[in-house]
Amino acid sequence: MSLSIQSGVEVVLLAATTSGVLDLIAATILIASMGVPPKRMLQTIASAQMGPKAFEPGKNGAALGLAFHFFIALAASAVYYVAATYSAMLANHAIIAGLLYGILIHLVMTFIVLPMSALRRPFSKVSFITQFVIHMFCVGLPIALVVKHFHHPV
């Protein structure tokens, strides 16, 4: 059975789903190794918008965190797709471009998005490096490879 991708929207959705799931699996394994349940991780994502209320019972913080996670993956995938429409280099060198894009996403999230959010946590070198690698291989690279495989610019 072959996958038939018909539109740019479908390419972006597939890239977002692939990267979002891989990132979520990597993060879940990482936090599980520290004894943190996945629900807590998703609530932490939601706390960037909701603040401490994300951890209160009945506030659906985990569901909102999951939605935010995939919205970010969707936005990152859409940006890469549009860029690939205008730059053959991104398609021709998808592995390098994807790894670099993962680094860019991580830096934007760490130094621009999170500081503007309600989430307040101290900087950790170990967390920074771990997320750096996760973003390279589980976010940027899958987005680039999906776009390379399915995106056919006119």
Side-chain angles (χ1 to χ4, degrees), residues 2-154:
S2 69
L3 184 59
S4 174
I5 301 292
Q6 302 297 319
S7 72
V9 170
E10 290 172 318
V11 174
V12 169
L13 288 174
L14 181 59
T17 302
T18 303
S19 65
V21 167
L22 290 173
D23 183 30
L24 203 54
I25 290 169
T28 300
I29 291 169
L30 179 66
I31 60 119
S33 73
M34 295 183 263
V36 178
K39 180 179 179 180
R40 181 77 175 181
M41 175 186 66
L42 294 171
Q43 290 170 320
T44 301
I45 295 169
S47 74
Q49 193 274 325
M50 296 177 71
K53 290 182 180 183
F55 301 98
E56 294 177 7
K59 292 292 184 182
N60 298 318
L64 185 60
L66 187 64
F68 283 162
H69 174 77
F70 279 100
F71 174 78
I72 292 165
L74 182 67
S77 297
V79 167
Y80 191 89
Y81 178 88
V82 170
T85 300
Y86 295 101
S87 173
M89 190 273 307
L90 295 178
N92 294 334
H93 303 285
I95 293 175
I96 297 296
L99 294 171
L100 292 173
Y101 189 57
I103 292 169
L104 177 64
I105 292 167
H106 176 57
L107 294 174
V108 167
M109 291 299 296
T110 300
F111 296 113
I112 297 173
V113 175
L114 290 177
M116 294 187 329
S117 76
L119 182 62
R120 299 290 176 245
R121 62 179 172 195
F123 182 82
S124 160
K125 286 183 199 176
V126 172
S127 178
F128 180 84
I129 292 167
T130 304
Q131 288 300 316
F132 189 90
V133 173
I134 289 172
H135 278 86
M136 285 173 63
F137 291 97
C138 297
V139 180
L141 185 58
I143 290 170
L145 293 176
V146 167
V147 170
K148 175 186 170 109
H149 186 76
F150 293 107
H151 179 46
H152 306 289
V154 179

